[in-house]
Amino acid sequence: MSDNEWDPLSHPGHYFSRIARGLSRVGDARLRDLGLATAQLPILTALKDGAQLSQKQLAHWAKVEQPTMAQMLSRMERDGLIQRTPDPNDGRSSLISLTKTALERLPAGRAVLRQGNADMTKGLTSEEIDTLIMLLRQVLANIEVMEQ
């Protein structure tokens, strides 16, 4: 295929990109009433069981740059979702944890996300969903190798 014949609709990357953007838009709309956002999901997941992590650890977990994480945490702190406490092992750092407010909102947020997953896989059998997940895990593993 020559460059003039490039057809993005015949490549998975096009669909991954559109799916990610669409899921983010739909997720944000559905989570808005709970005061949550899809961009916060890695933080909410990392801290869900009472964990306390540093900003650096959260940035690594979420695979984002430190300034991006700092902005996200500032908004979450403003919205009463996280709290910071001094790190006893590093006086220059804080440990971040979820507030009672965030913990109270998590079950409803999970229900919204479960419904979103059901809606986006409508028409697929459970076997097809299992196959899709297996394939997506392999694609993700390939991307993670490419990132190194």
Side-chain angles (χ1 to χ4, degrees):
M1 175 184 300
S2 74
D3 283 344
N4 293 337
E5 297 172 18
W6 171 252
D7 178 15
L9 300 179
S10 65
H11 297 277
H14 168 79
Y15 296 98
F16 286 130
S17 179
R18 287 189 57 194
I19 290 167
R21 288 192 317 267
L23 280 175
S24 185
R25 284 190 306 272
V26 170
D28 283 342
R30 291 180 175 189
L31 291 168
R32 189 171 295 121
D33 288 343
L34 297 172
L36 302 174
T38 56
Q40 299 167 342
L41 294 177
I43 298 163
L44 295 169
T45 299
L47 302 176
K48 71 179 172 52
D49 293 321
Q52 293 185 318
L53 298 174
S54 69
Q55 177 179 307
K56 182 177 181 178
Q57 290 169 311
L58 286 169
H60 179 74
W61 165 263
K63 297 185 188 274
V64 298
E65 297 296 323
Q66 288 252 20
T68 302
M69 181 56 65
Q71 290 175 343
M72 176 66 62
L73 292 174
S74 291
R75 286 191 299 271
M76 291 179 76
E77 187 173 32
R78 176 201 68 205
D79 295 342
L81 298 173
I82 60 146
Q83 57 195 3
R84 300 172 197 255
T85 56
D87 184 342
N89 299 318
D90 181 355
R92 301 166 296 160
S93 183
S94 295
L95 294 176
I96 293 124
S97 60
L98 296 180
T99 63
K100 182 179 176 190
T101 299
L103 292 169
E104 289 170 351
R105 293 179 187 176
L106 281 178
R110 287 186 191 118
V112 166
L113 296 173
R114 273 193 296 276
Q115 184 60 52
N117 275 285
D119 292 344
M120 79 171 164
T121 56
K122 195 179 303 177
L124 298 178
T125 66
S126 59
E127 293 81 16
E128 289 170 330
I129 293 169
D130 289 344
T131 299
L132 177 61
I133 290 169
M134 179 194 64
L135 294 169
L136 291 172
R137 283 181 177 153
Q138 182 60 54
V139 171
L140 178 59
N142 294 342
I143 291 171
E144 288 173 342
V145 167
M146 291 165 57
E147 289 178 320
Q148 293 174 359

